[in-house]
């Protein structure tokens, strides 16, 4: 219990003094995570809508695989991305290993199945209501997908927030591809892992509380900007 209080005190001290290292790794955490979620959503939302609208032979197998990939082990993703981006890998010439870009790539791979699966579930239910109407209006497949995405935007917001929640707390994959380099690739989760390995549990807990607070702040901000509560819907 004493360690938890020390963690709270450490978090308060870091926030009150606006510790330079804390500000740096917090901004980098936001940069990497928000970029990954934005790219992942741009891929996953149309994919989820397309799977809800399109009928093809292996559709159920694809959906089952997508759902299974929601539990994709991050360390495996990190290892695969590392092998692809390392100097001996096929993309080694790009020099992306141990950079924030490599971390973003790993996080995109992790969040796409999660966001796409949630989006598919939400849009599939909406498609059952809109099916006859959109077909009678002669809407093209692209128009159907665009309409479904727009009308399901609040449910898709939840999908994006779920992706953000998984990405902001990720440590295994980004530790492998980012290397936890000070002033280069260190983020909140890898800093927590570092301080824990050094035995500084109070600082590790303090950074953990900051991470939780950051996740809550982003979620509250997105809900406020989307005006979901004012319209009586979450």
């Amino acid at each position: 219990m004493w360690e938890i209080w020390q963690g709270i005190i450490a978090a308060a001290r870091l926030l009150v003094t606006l510790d330079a290292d804390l500000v740096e790794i917090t901004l980098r955490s936001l940069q990497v995570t928000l970029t990954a979620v934005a790219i992942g959503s741009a891929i996953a939302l149309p994919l989820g809508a397309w799977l809800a609208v399109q009928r093809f032979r292996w559709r159920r197998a694809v959906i089952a695989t997508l759902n299974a990939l929601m539990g994709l082990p991050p360390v495996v993703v990190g290892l695969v991305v590392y092998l692809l981006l390392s100097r001996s890998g096929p993309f080694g010439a790009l020099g992306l290993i141990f950079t924030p870009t490599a971390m973003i790539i790993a996080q995109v791979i992790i969040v796409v199945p999660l966001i796409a699966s949630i989006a598919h579930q939400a849009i599939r239910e909406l498609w059952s209501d809109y099916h006859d109407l959109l077909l009678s209006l002669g809407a093209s497949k692209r128009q159907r997908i665009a309409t479904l995405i727009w009308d399901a935007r609040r449910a898709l917001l939840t999908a994006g927030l779920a992706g953000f929640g998984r990405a902001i707390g990720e440590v295994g994959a980004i530790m492998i591809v980012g290397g936890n380099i000070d002033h280069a690739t260190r983020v909140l989760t890898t800093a927590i892992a570092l301080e824990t390995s050094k035995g500084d549990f109070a600082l590790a807990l303090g950074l953990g509380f900051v991470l939780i607070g950051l996740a809550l702040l982003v979620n509250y901000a997105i809900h406020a900007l989307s005006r979901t509560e004012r319209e009586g819907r979450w």
Side-chain angles (χ1 to χ4, degrees):
M1 190 66 185
W2 174 243
E3 287 82 2
I4 295 177
W5 281 112
Q6 285 183 313
I8 295 174
I9 294 171
R13 185 186 305 114
L14 291 171
L15 291 173
V16 169
T17 60
L18 281 179
D19 183 80
D21 288 337
L22 174 66
V23 172
E24 179 187 352
I25 62 175
T26 301
L27 291 177
R28 188 175 298 113
S29 296
L30 281 174
Q31 174 199 357
V32 170
T33 301
L34 292 177
T35 303
V37 171
I39 296 173
S41 297
I43 298 170
L45 297 183
L47 174 61
W50 182 79
L51 287 173
V53 172
Q54 186 65 25
R55 295 295 183 269
F56 54 93
R57 184 176 182 182
W58 301 105
R59 176 173 174 270
R60 290 186 178 179
V62 171
I63 293 172
T65 302
L66 188 66
N67 291 337
L69 291 176
M70 291 173 63
L72 191 65
V75 290
V76 176
V77 174
L79 178 59
V80 171
V81 174
Y82 177 87
L83 293 175
L84 291 173
L85 299 182
S86 63
R87 292 185 178 181
S88 58
F91 303 105
L94 299 176
L96 296 178
I97 195 67
F98 301 140
T99 66
T101 301
M103 298 158 66
I104 291 170
I105 293 172
Q107 286 196 353
V108 167
I109 296 173
I110 291 170
V111 302
V112 162
L114 176 62
I115 298 175
S117 184
I118 297 175
H120 168 256
Q121 294 294 329
I123 293 176
R124 183 179 64 179
E125 297 178 4
L126 194 62
W127 174 235
S128 64
D129 297 330
Y130 281 37
H131 178 272
D132 294 339
L133 175 61
L134 290 177
L135 289 182
S136 66
L137 293 175
S140 66
K141 190 169 297 182
R142 181 176 297 181
Q143 290 172 328
R144 296 173 207 168
I145 291 175
T147 300
L148 291 170
I149 289 177
W150 175 252
D151 282 7
R153 59 191 180 277
R154 288 186 176 86
L156 299 182
L157 173 65
T158 301
L161 289 176
F164 174 83
R166 179 160 192 196
I168 194 67
E170 173 49 39
V171 60
I174 59 175
M175 181 80 79
I176 294 173
V177 301
N180 196 23
I181 303 171
D182 195 18
H183 303 300
T185 60
R186 183 165 297 164
V187 292
L188 282 169
T189 51
T190 56
I192 292 170
L194 175 65
E195 297 304 328
T196 301
S197 66
K198 290 163 57 177
D200 194 344
F201 299 114
L203 181 55
L205 273 172
L207 292 171
F209 289 133
V210 171
L211 179 61
I212 294 171
L214 179 65
L216 289 172
L217 181 63
V218 170
N219 276 266
Y220 290 151
I222 291 177
H223 277 301
L225 291 174
S226 61
R227 303 167 63 91
T228 51
E229 187 177 9
R230 294 184 186 181
E231 296 181 21
R233 296 175 61 183
W234 281 90

